Amino acid sequence: QVRKTQLKKRLLEGLRWGRLYGGAAGVILLEGQGDMLAEPLDLDTVMPGTFKGMLILDRWSGIQPLSTELVTDLNDPDFGLPDRYTISTETISRGVEVHHSRLVRFTGRDLPYWEKQQEMYWGASEVEHVFDELRKRDNTSWNIASLIFNANLRVLKMKDLEQVFTTMDEQAVKDLYNILQAQNWLMSNTGTQILGASDDFQTFQYAFSGLDKVYENFMMDLAGAAEMPVTKLFGRSPAGMNATGESDMQ
């Protein structure tokens, strides 16, 4: 029955959407009770073989609380949460009312009471928790990549170059650009650089010492925000003496 209804797959899907969006829910599908979704679930009416799986919906594109009415029964596991929801999917008509007892909620990170009210009694997304650290790590990665492309700068010094641009006509400036392009072509193809008697050519290389430490620190910050070991989050081998990484995978 579990394999036929793909229950494990649906539960994992609900957990993923709940962590990603901060909230999701699974509608319990029972044969013969499609027109009873607005009524409380009576387990005595559930016959063997009538369970057909779960329909997973996320908070942004499928399910939302119907009103501000909350569950007031202290014995109900959903005490203090919305009593009814509305669902809309491609297979279910828009605005179908569902009682909370026919749902399995998947929420993200817990929020303070007032923030939970603002989020319609859902939780916070895991992405929101690590977004700032993820953005810093992403920007650092792009900046390091741009430094690599500019690691070797070639500088050509020409005598009175500023006067050339201010006094020469448009055709003369164009000829100068053609000369520079030809020099670049010679260097790229034959490694030859032609210079005038008063010209000078130099290269400047950037030193990357210390960048690896900076990058690793950003990775550590991201792993700390995600509450995951670096070895598991980035797939790195354990570092340090006698490090096996077994505790990271537990």
Side-chain angles (χ1 to χ4, degrees):
Q1 185 72 11
V2 173
R3 182 177 181 182
K4 185 177 180 180
T5 58
Q6 297 183 331
L7 181 59
K8 183 177 180 179
K9 179 180 178 180
R10 298 307 176 197
L11 290 174
L12 291 175
E13 182 182 359
L15 290 172
R16 285 198 302 269
W17 295 153
R19 287 171 58 86
L20 177 61
Y21 296 115
V27 182
I28 301 174
L29 303 178
L30 298 173
E31 185 177 5
Q33 298 193 21
D35 56 347
M36 302 169 58
L37 295 178
E39 302 176 9
L41 177 61
D42 185 1
L43 296 179
D44 294 334
T45 63
V46 180
M47 304 302 294
T50 58
F51 176 68
K52 300 302 179 182
M54 298 178 64
L55 177 64
I56 303 299
L57 304 166
D58 67 79
R59 58 174 293 194
W60 296 114
S61 59
I63 185 169
Q64 58 183 351
L66 180 60
S67 64
T68 57
E69 183 181 357
L70 304 179
V71 179
T72 58
D73 186 1
L74 292 176
N75 296 320
D76 196 311
D78 290 334
F79 172 74
L81 296 175
D83 184 61
R84 298 178 183 275
Y85 299 81
T86 55
I87 62 174
S88 57
T89 67
E90 296 178 354
T91 57
I92 299 179
S93 59
R94 181 175 297 274
V96 174
E97 182 179 340
V98 180
H99 192 264
H100 74 273
S101 61
R102 296 181 179 271
L103 294 174
V104 178
R105 287 170 50 97
F106 304 94
T107 58
R109 287 179 173 266
D110 290 334
L111 294 172
Y113 178 73
W114 294 112
E115 290 190 36
K116 183 183 293 185
Q117 281 190 322
Q118 294 294 326
E119 296 293 336
M120 302 297 291
Y121 294 94
W122 298 111
S125 170
E126 292 291 337
V127 177
E128 181 180 350
H129 187 65
V130 302
F131 182 76
D132 290 339
E133 297 298 334
L134 183 62
R135 184 171 57 180
K136 288 191 294 185
R137 191 258 184 185
D138 182 64
N139 291 336
T140 302
S141 179
W142 278 109
N143 289 332
I144 292 176
S146 64
L147 285 176
I148 293 175
F149 290 105
N150 296 319
N152 188 17
L153 298 178
R154 294 176 293 182
V155 179
L156 176 61
K157 296 182 179 180
M158 300 180 65
K159 185 178 180 180
D160 300 328
L161 180 62
E162 63 279 359
Q163 297 180 6
V164 171
F165 283 106
T166 56
T167 59
M168 294 174 60
D169 56 16
E170 182 178 353
Q171 182 60 39
V173 174
K174 184 177 181 180
D175 293 339
L176 176 61
Y177 286 151
N178 291 334
I179 294 174
L180 295 176
Q181 185 176 5
Q183 289 180 336
N184 185 59
W185 179 83
L186 286 172
M187 175 171 287
S188 300
N189 289 271
T190 64
T192 303
Q193 182 68 38
I194 301 177
L195 299 176
S198 59
D199 296 339
D200 185 21
F201 180 80
Q202 297 179 0
T203 60
F204 297 91
Q205 294 183 349
Y206 183 83
F208 291 96
S209 59
L211 283 181
D212 55 338
K213 298 296 182 181
V214 174
Y215 192 61
E216 287 184 1
N217 288 336
F218 278 106
M219 295 172 64
M220 294 288 290
D221 291 342
L222 180 58
E227 299 179 0
M228 294 179 62
V230 177
T231 54
K232 188 175 182 180
L233 181 61
F234 294 100
R236 299 181 57 180
S237 300
M241 297 181 61
N242 300 324
T244 61
E246 294 181 1
S247 60
D248 294 345
M249 297 303 174
Q250 293 179 357

